[in-house]
Amino acid sequence: MTPPARPAAPKRVFARLRRIERRHVAEVLRTETVGGALLIVFAFLGLVWANSPWSDSYETVKDTVVGPHLWHLDLSLADWAADFLLAFFFLVAGIELKHELQVGELSDRRAAVLPVASALCGMVVPIGVYLAVSAGHEHAASGWAVPTATDIAFALAVLAVVGQNLPSALRAFLLTLAVVDDLGAIVIIAIAYTEKIDTVALVVAALLVVAFYLVQRARITNLWLNVPLGLGIWIAVHASGVHATVAGVAIGLMLRGTHNEGDKDATHQGQAQERSSPAEQVQWRLQPFSAGFCVPVFAIMSAGVDIGGDTLGNLFSNRIPLAIAAGLFVGKTVGVFGGAYLTARFTRAELSDELRWRDIAAVSTLTGVGFTVSLLIAELAFDDAPELLNLAKGGVLLGSLVSSLVAVVLLRRRNRFYVQLCGEEATEDSGEE
């Protein structure tokens, strides 16, 4: 007699994925389009949650304090997202900056002049636009730095979606510009929005950074040493009064970017093995965590702008949000394009042979998407004025939305141009044969 078949075990919800599934999820999260899409989705969820009948629960979750009082680690969940989770985002940005300095566009001074000049002008001009529009407002001086930042993840995601046939040099230009832009934002955060410095904690942070550098130089890759050192740097920087995301950039820059003989890591497809530096390995492992968790959590915590009551009307009548939106859309576009054009016009720097000035104009508009870093700076700038902070975030969302929509239109036109150009070249080649 055949024994009765056992019923299939029920599928557990949120069970730990198999290794092959975890690898697939990680690969998906490393793609720029997915990271940008998650950023948009979670920002939208935060906006809806903050304006829903459950808005009180949104504020309760944000304000829930977790952590010990020791070293000022008793932070709200919103602060943990901004101070701790975004440190991973800036750690990856620090590694990208190191890569650009070593082997990328920034390693060649002549090639680096154009994107660096664009990035600097793309930070100065938005400040001028912001100050001009907000002139006369009592809090105008607080938010001058909000429109200076470009969101790397979102900008690269848009470029990847709508500009598949654009020259690869344009992506390199945007990446280099955005990395320099992020470094400038970190410098601004460290200097302009640090009210009180704990000298002892800052000295401890500096000593730990030196220790971390020496460990990297000694080619010690033991996680039981490197991870506690990195965590110690973050705690010390946070306790010093400097914004804790600075620790992420410091760690990223200190990671060794050269190869060990015998250092091996999986390739993107997970099939063959190739040598890679500790910095590349850390970036490869942290990118999915940053794109799939850190940035989306920060987005949902920060993008919850209450647009009820008079907020929506004030968004278009108050000078602060209008100044931020104008700084992002007008300031970044004019600054980035103008910086590149004037640099090429009055120096020996030249635009890549693959690019045209219309390409630079289109991608300049895309740099007006400030989002992640702009929201972070807004929280630091208007921390003592909750109502104005809400409007400032609205200005960031408005400026980023307009910039992204206009950029999509311009980039799609340039993409069609290159598709047509490739078709004409293919026709000419076939005719010659």
Side-chain angles (χ1 to χ4, degrees), residues 65-409:
V65 176
V66 177
H69 181 69
L70 184 66
W71 297 317
H72 310 289
L73 293 178
D74 48 341
L75 305 174
S76 67
L77 291 180
D79 288 336
W80 275 111
D83 292 2
F84 184 69
L85 293 184
L86 273 196
F88 289 96
F89 170 80
F90 281 107
L91 194 160
V92 174
I95 295 174
E96 289 177 344
L97 175 60
K98 188 180 185 74
H99 180 269
E100 290 296 317
L101 289 169
Q102 289 183 330
V103 296
E105 291 289 321
L106 297 179
S107 62
D108 184 345
R109 292 184 179 180
R110 293 187 61 184
V113 170
L114 211 64
V116 169
S118 294
L120 294 177
C121 292
M123 298 182 76
V124 173
V125 176
I127 294 174
V129 172
Y130 170 87
L131 293 176
V133 176
S134 65
H137 195 286
E138 59 179 330
H139 292 282
S142 300
W144 60 270
V146 176
T148 60
T150 295
D151 192 297
I152 297 179
F154 193 97
L156 290 176
V158 171
L159 188 62
V161 172
V162 302
Q164 296 178 352
N165 295 286
L166 292 174
S168 58
L170 191 62
R171 184 189 184 280
F173 175 86
L174 177 60
L175 177 60
T176 305
L177 183 147
V179 168
V180 176
D181 188 283
D182 265 358
L183 179 62
I186 280 294
V187 172
I188 289 174
I189 290 172
I191 297 175
Y193 296 105
T194 300
E195 298 178 357
K196 185 179 179 181
I197 295 291
D198 185 325
T199 308
V200 175
L202 192 60
V203 170
V204 171
L207 292 175
L208 289 174
V209 169
V210 172
F212 187 82
Y213 173 75
L214 293 176
V215 167
Q216 292 296 306
R217 291 277 294 180
R219 299 178 179 270
I220 300 174
T221 58
N222 192 307
L223 292 179
W224 294 105
L225 177 60
N226 284 276
V227 172
L229 268 177
L231 186 60
I233 292 171
W234 180 86
I235 292 174
V237 171
H238 173 75
S240 72
V242 178
H243 199 270
T245 51
V246 175
V249 175
I251 295 170
L253 290 174
M254 291 302 106
L255 280 166
R256 181 164 53 84
T258 54
H259 301 275
N260 263 352
E261 193 67 36
D263 277 353
K264 292 186 177 181
D265 194 21
T267 60
H268 297 0
Q269 291 77 22
Q271 297 172 351
Q273 297 286 320
E274 64 179 4
R275 292 187 301 170
S276 59
S277 68
E280 291 169 332
Q281 293 180 30
V282 170
Q283 181 181 12
W284 186 246
R285 291 186 172 94
L286 282 185
Q287 183 67 40
F289 178 62
S290 174
F293 181 74
C294 297
V295 174
V297 170
F298 173 77
I300 199 171
M301 290 287 184
S302 298
V305 179
D306 182 6
I307 58 176
D310 298 328
T311 302
L312 194 58
N314 290 336
L315 190 63
F316 296 95
S317 60
N318 191 293
R319 293 185 180 183
I320 295 298
L322 287 178
I324 292 173
L328 286 171
F329 177 56
V330 179
K332 295 293 285 188
T333 303
V334 173
V336 170
F337 181 80
Y341 182 80
L342 292 176
T343 301
R345 177 71 175 80
F346 295 106
T347 70
R348 294 183 178 181
E350 296 180 355
L351 192 65
S352 170
D353 294 335
E354 298 180 33
L355 300 178
R356 293 169 170 79
W357 283 110
R358 291 184 181 182
D359 302 330
I360 301 299
V363 86
S364 297
T365 307
L366 185 58
T367 62
V369 181
F371 213 80
T372 305
V373 184
S374 289
L375 288 174
L376 174 62
I377 297 177
E379 291 187 350
L380 298 174
F382 300 105
D383 184 52
D384 56 347
E387 293 184 3
L388 202 53
L389 172 58
N390 197 54
L391 289 174
K393 288 184 176 181
V396 171
L397 297 180
L398 177 63
S400 298
L401 177 62
V402 174
S403 296
S404 60
L405 292 177
V406 174
V408 165
V409 173

